[in-house]
Amino acid sequence: MKYTKDHEWLRVEGDLVVVGITEHAATQLGDVVFVELPETETMVAEGDEVCVIESVKAASDILAPIDGEIVAVNEKLVDAPALVNEDPTGAAWFFKMKVDDLSVLDQFMDEDEYLDLIG
Amino acid sequence: MADLEGDKLQRLGLHDLHVEFGGKMVPFAGYEMPVQYAPGVMKEHLHTREAAGLFDVSHMGQVILRPKGSMAELASAFEALMPVDVLGLAEGRQRYGLLTNDTGGILDDLMFTNRGDHLYVVVNAACKAEDIAHMTARMPEVTVEQVTERALLALQGPGAEAALEAVLPGVSAMRFMDHRVFGDVWVSRSGYTGEDGFEISLPMAAAEGFARKLLAEPGVAPIGLGARDSLRLEAGLCLYGHDIDTTTSPIEAALTWAIQKSRRAGGAREGGFPGATRILRELAEGPERLRVGLAPEGRAPMREGVELFAPNDTPVGRVTSGGFGPSVTAPIAMGYVALAFATPGTRLAGEVRGKHLPLTVAELPFHPTSYKR
């Protein structure tokens, strides 16, 4: 699994990249009460705001970590936003992306580097 | 309530206890306050409604008003600052009050108690310095003393009575808005969650031991400011600086119930408070806008600042408090709307991230109150 400085995780599944938020991010956000997902079959660029996530405390965005096409979204999160707190790195994936070249993931942190970042 | 970040933050007397119990400390109204503990806002909120929550509200201002002459003179002087019946409040009873300004806006909301030979007043933390200056300047016949070196705890929820009775026998005989003195400990049966409960003022030196005894009682857990906010929002209670301020009148704020008949037109002591012209006019003719409950139809919370629109896209108001109601299990909000749109059931739209999302004007409170009257 790879990690971004925006506290997202990326996991390769076949030729797709699955994206979610880290346990650290979920804890910091607090109880998640609302998730808005992007449309599928949308082209996005790195840094685009693609999801909205609202906790009991505040609203925040999930940014596209890389350029690519959103090919699937986790509809379960719309009805059960609390999944983000319960299983952030498993059942609570947000979207899957198709990218030109999976080597784009090499730029991101591995687990040890991410753990150093969050102290 | 304004966050006074940038100024030096004050620490609560129970700071170490909050940290020991896992409190996440954040700046609020000039104090380092526990916003939540390990369970988080949602669980803390639900725990308070199901069992009992202990809140440290020692940042609030505690003030004693002493008469230089008689208590009746003190009550009359305080009535000249609030559209509220002070003279008629019996000894040992507490009442909600509002300091108004000359244009009928609200300087602060407060609780005041008749303690026989003086009044005990609890005001908002962010307003306390201004309140004390205002009361001192406007009531020369009264001595205004800020109470320091005392903590203020709130114990709220259906388990509050049994827990406090175990530590302080006798409190179970009190009813809603009663006040009793137990030696150095001053107890009111009130709070700001919509639940039955108590507010307890006691010497700072005794506060930690007292709090630990309460926390050792079955069902009592420490609760942070985050849950205090969602509890009061579900109960339809105003947060000063958000739902009420120097521009909102008590009538617009739907706090008309706080103005007793004696201070209204035709009452024994009609008017005679700051802003009486506007407040009495709005009582007679209705206000231009009204604070209402707002129920978003979707799952997206509508927070403070969200603009509200009529079905024809005319702006009609704004959200002043909003979030998720853990007991309601849906987003809830309060805000001001033009009077024509204030009837419960009226459908409006709130603008969230550029989109107009549907919501309905709702009755307050969102969650039924359970005061022991």
Side-chain angles (χ1 to χ4, degrees):
Chain A
M1 205 180 285
K2 291 287 194 175
Y3 300 86
T4 76
K5 61 177 170 37
D6 297 318
H7 308 286
E8 293 167 24
W9 56 257
L10 298 86
R11 188 174 65 214
V12 176
E13 194 179 276
D15 61 344
L16 301 179
V17 178
V18 188
V19 180
I21 68 166
T22 66
E23 189 165 348
H24 173 74
T27 304
Q28 292 297 312
L29 282 170
D31 306 291
V32 173
V33 296
F34 173 74
V35 171
E36 187 175 275
L37 297 166
E39 301 281 326
T40 53
E41 296 173 30
T42 329
M43 297 302 296
V44 296
E46 180 190 336
D48 285 357
E49 294 165 5
V50 286
C51 300
V52 176
I53 179 164
E54 295 225 25
S55 74
V56 285
K57 296 177 198 163
S60 41
D61 297 307
I62 295 183
L63 309 179
I66 44 180
D67 298 347
E69 182 188 0
I70 307 275
V71 294
V73 296
N74 188 357
E75 296 284 354
K76 270 190 200 163
L77 298 183
V78 174
D79 292 322
L83 263 184
V84 178
N85 299 104
E86 289 157 15
D87 192 8
T89 52
W93 60 275
F94 277 75
F95 52 88
K96 299 182 183 182
M97 294 180 74
K98 189 185 277 177
V99 297
D100 290 339
D101 181 358
L102 286 171
S103 71
V104 71
L105 267 62
D106 295 346
Q107 61 178 304
F108 296 113
M109 290 174 272
D110 62 23
E111 185 168 4
D112 286 345
E113 289 168 321
Y114 180 67
L115 290 175
D116 280 347
L117 175 78
I118 61 173
Chain B
M1 201 175 288
D3 287 356
L4 304 176
E5 289 173 69
D7 293 346
K8 186 161 167 43
L9 292 174
Q10 290 184 259
R11 279 203 168 173
L12 298 169
L14 297 182
H15 184 92
D16 293 348
L17 183 71
H18 298 309
V19 172
E20 179 186 322
F21 276 81
K24 184 176 166 191
M25 308 303 285
V26 303
F28 181 83
Y31 287 79
E32 278 185 76
M33 299 287 295
V35 66
Q36 63 164 80
Y37 297 84
V41 174
M42 189 94 79
K43 289 197 178 79
E44 291 172 30
H45 175 117
L46 295 171
H47 181 90
T48 305
R49 294 245 187 268
E50 284 155 16
L54 181 65
F55 305 75
D56 185 357
V57 289
S58 304
H59 63 310
M60 297 187 81
Q62 301 184 60
V63 181
I64 300 276
L65 304 181
R66 271 184 219 288
K68 291 177 183 168
S70 68
M71 270 300 274
E73 283 165 354
L74 163 57
S76 293
F78 207 24
E79 284 199 353
L81 300 187
M82 305 198 296
V84 174
D85 178 357
V86 182
L87 271 162
L89 182 66
E91 185 173 342
R93 293 286 293 163
Q94 188 178 51
R95 185 167 279 173
Y96 180 73
L98 297 158
L99 294 170
T100 49
N101 64 19
D102 293 334
T103 53
I106 300 171
L107 293 172
D108 199 6
D109 63 339
L110 53 81
M111 300 294 282
F112 66 99
T113 303
N114 180 347
R115 302 218 306 178
D117 61 356
H118 65 272
L119 297 177
Y120 167 60
V121 184
V122 178
V123 303
N124 281 302
C127 302
K128 63 186 172 190
E130 285 170 1
D131 289 351
I132 289 167
H134 175 70
M135 292 189 287
T136 304
R138 301 283 282 259
M139 297 196 292
E141 58 278 76
V142 172
T143 306
V144 180
E145 299 165 15
Q146 182 170 1
V147 177
T148 53
E149 301 304 313
R150 285 184 80 84
L152 189 62
L153 305 175
L155 186 66
Q156 302 278 297
E161 181 185 280
L164 189 58
E165 180 70 23
V167 176
L168 204 60
V171 295
S172 60
M174 298 171 68
R175 61 193 176 92
F176 184 56
M177 299 295 248
D178 275 352
H179 181 91
R180 269 183 68 182
V181 173
F182 299 79
D184 264 349
V185 183
W186 310 341
V187 180
S188 301
R189 192 151 197 168
S190 55
Y192 220 60
T193 59
E195 296 296 319
D196 178 30
F198 301 86
E199 291 198 335
I200 306 140
S201 168
L202 73 173
M204 196 58 84
E208 185 177 330
F210 196 91
R212 284 187 191 279
K213 276 191 204 164
L214 287 175
L215 289 166
E217 288 298 315
V220 179
I223 308 295
L225 276 184
R228 184 171 164 83
D229 191 50
S230 55
L231 288 159
R232 69 94 200 162
L233 178 58
E234 282 188 343
L237 299 169
C238 293
L239 181 60
Y240 191 81
H242 299 260
D243 306 302
I244 50 177
D245 60 29
T246 54
T247 68
T248 59
S249 78
I251 313 303
E252 291 176 333
L255 297 173
T256 306
W257 58 268
I259 305 177
Q260 287 77 21
K261 286 204 170 62
S262 59
R263 306 305 308 278
R264 300 188 188 191
R269 299 184 306 287
E270 167 185 339
F273 48 83
T277 309
R278 172 184 175 190
I279 291 167
L280 294 180
R281 185 189 69 234
E282 288 182 354
L283 262 173
E285 299 171 7
E288 286 179 13
R289 55 178 183 165
L290 193 64
R291 179 178 63 95
V292 295
L294 300 163
E297 288 173 19
R299 286 175 168 272
M302 296 195 193
R303 300 180 193 270
E304 182 175 6
V306 165
E307 299 283 345
L308 301 171
F309 296 88
N312 67 358
D313 285 346
T314 314
V316 293
R318 197 174 65 86
V319 170
T320 52
S321 276
F324 186 81
S327 301
V328 177
T329 64
I332 53 172
M334 300 196 296
Y336 285 82
V337 297
L339 196 61
F341 299 92
T343 310
T346 305
R347 292 196 74 202
L348 301 171
E351 187 173 306
V352 179
R353 293 179 280 273
K355 281 182 246 172
H356 282 203
L357 305 179
L359 77 166
T360 307
V361 175
E363 301 270 6
L364 292 174
F366 293 102
H367 184 86
T369 56
S370 52
Y371 306 131
K372 191 183 166 187
R373 293 187 189 272

